[in-house]
Amino acid sequence: MRTNLPSKTYKQFIPLYSTSMRHPIQLCLIFLCFFLLSSFNSYADSYKRATSKDPNAFKAGVSFVWLSDFDSQGLMFSNRFNHYLGERVAVGLNLGLLTASRYDEGKQLYSIKNTFYMGGIEASFDLLSNETVNLRIGAGGSARHRSEINSDPEGEGTFDGSVAHIRTGDVGFNGFLENDFNFGRNGIAGGRIEYLYYSKGTPVFAIGLHVGFKF
């Protein structure tokens, strides 16, 4: 069989080929190193893609709320910051203000007026995540400063006529279901259903909308 390699190159190639055939273990180790390096680079690239897709989000929202113990309704305004730790898991902080009331037609006065200053931390997991929509569930700890004017004080507060003025703090937890729709380059719009339970005072059920941006 003829070859087009120059005689000098051919003579150099034959010993190299013969030597490599005599050392299969070294060849296997070389191929294994290349395979591991390639796998690591692939994992690093996928992790980089997952963590570089705008990991932060800021959202402002408004929710309609029901206070079950008092049968009162109102609005809750909230600001939320979230940071993704990976492709689907995120942690966040939130601050909010809730105002609600109940009007007593018989007494011709507001039997309940609530003002809550609220804050908390939360963790969430994306059940669905793609270019258009994210659907997540989450839970966290919550705290609030509660200011109430209450005609049924149950032994709390300082009485002024038939009304008690109650100022106190409560701690508890919350659970939620939330979705985000992506629009434009960094825009977010979506909705949230949330339940907040506290050690004292009424629980809160909220349904709302939010808008924000990713960065």
Side-chain angles (χ1 to χ4, degrees), residues 70 145-150 152-154 156-158 164-168:
F70 302 146
H145 175 75
R146 176 163 50 100
S147 176
E148 294 177 357
I149 299 175
N150 192 337
D152 184 20
E154 298 180 348
E156 296 184 59
T158 302
H165 299 267
I166 300 171
R167 292 180 176 87
T168 186

Side-chain angles (χ1 to χ4, degrees), residues 61-67 72-78 96-101 114-116 118 204-208:
V62 58
S63 301
F64 190 80
V65 297
W66 290 265
L67 281 63
S72 58
Q73 299 88 37
L75 295 176
M76 179 173 67
F77 304 91
S78 60
L97 169 67
L98 181 151
T99 177
S101 61
N114 311 97
T115 302
F116 300 161
M118 311 167 72
V204 178
F205 179 72
I207 298 178

Side-chain angles (χ1 to χ4, degrees), residues 43-60:
Y43 173 80
D45 289 341
S46 62
Y47 180 80
K48 184 178 179 181
R49 286 194 299 271
T51 56
S52 64
K53 56 169 190 178
D54 299 321
N56 303 307
F58 177 81
K59 292 173 279 190

Side-chain angles (χ1 to χ4, degrees), residues 175-194:
F176 63 89
L177 176 68
E178 181 181 66
N179 75 300
D180 288 335
F181 293 99
N182 303 316
F183 65 91
R185 181 176 177 83
N186 297 98
I188 306 169
R192 181 180 176 108
I193 301 174
E194 185 172 17

Side-chain angles (χ1 to χ4, degrees), residues 16 31-32 34 61 73 75 77 96 111 114 120 129 143 150 162 183 185 209 214:
L16 179 63
F31 282 121
L32 180 62
F34 276 115
Q73 299 88 37
L75 295 176
F77 304 91
S111 57
N114 311 97
S129 179
N150 192 337
S162 62
F183 65 91
R185 181 176 177 83
L209 300 173
K214 301 179 292 183

Side-chain angles (χ1 to χ4, degrees), residues 70-178:
F70 302 146
D71 191 28
S72 58
Q73 299 88 37
L75 295 176
M76 179 173 67
F77 304 91
S78 60
N79 293 297
R80 304 180 188 276
F81 171 79
N82 295 97
H83 175 75
Y84 273 92
L85 300 177
E87 190 172 0
R88 292 179 180 266
V89 177
V91 294
L93 300 171
N94 65 77
L95 294 172
L97 169 67
L98 181 151
T99 177
S101 61
R102 182 185 68 193
Y103 189 73
D104 191 321
E105 294 288 349
K107 295 181 180 180
Q108 296 293 303
L109 53 77
Y110 285 100
S111 57
I112 294 290
K113 295 193 75 172
N114 311 97
T115 302
F116 300 161
Y117 299 96
M118 311 167 72
I121 58 175
E122 59 190 34
S124 63
F125 177 78
D126 286 6
L127 300 173
L128 174 65
S129 179
N130 56 44
E131 295 289 334
T132 305
V133 63
N134 294 84
L135 177 66
R136 66 182 61 89
I137 58 172
S142 183
R144 68 182 176 186
H145 175 75
R146 176 163 50 100
S147 176
E148 294 177 357
I149 299 175
N150 192 337
S151 65
D152 184 20
E154 298 180 348
E156 296 184 59
T158 302
F159 281 93
D160 178 11
S162 62
V163 177
H165 299 267
I166 300 171
R167 292 180 176 87
T168 186
D170 309 316
V171 294
F173 63 89
N174 71 313
F176 63 89
L177 176 68
E178 181 181 66

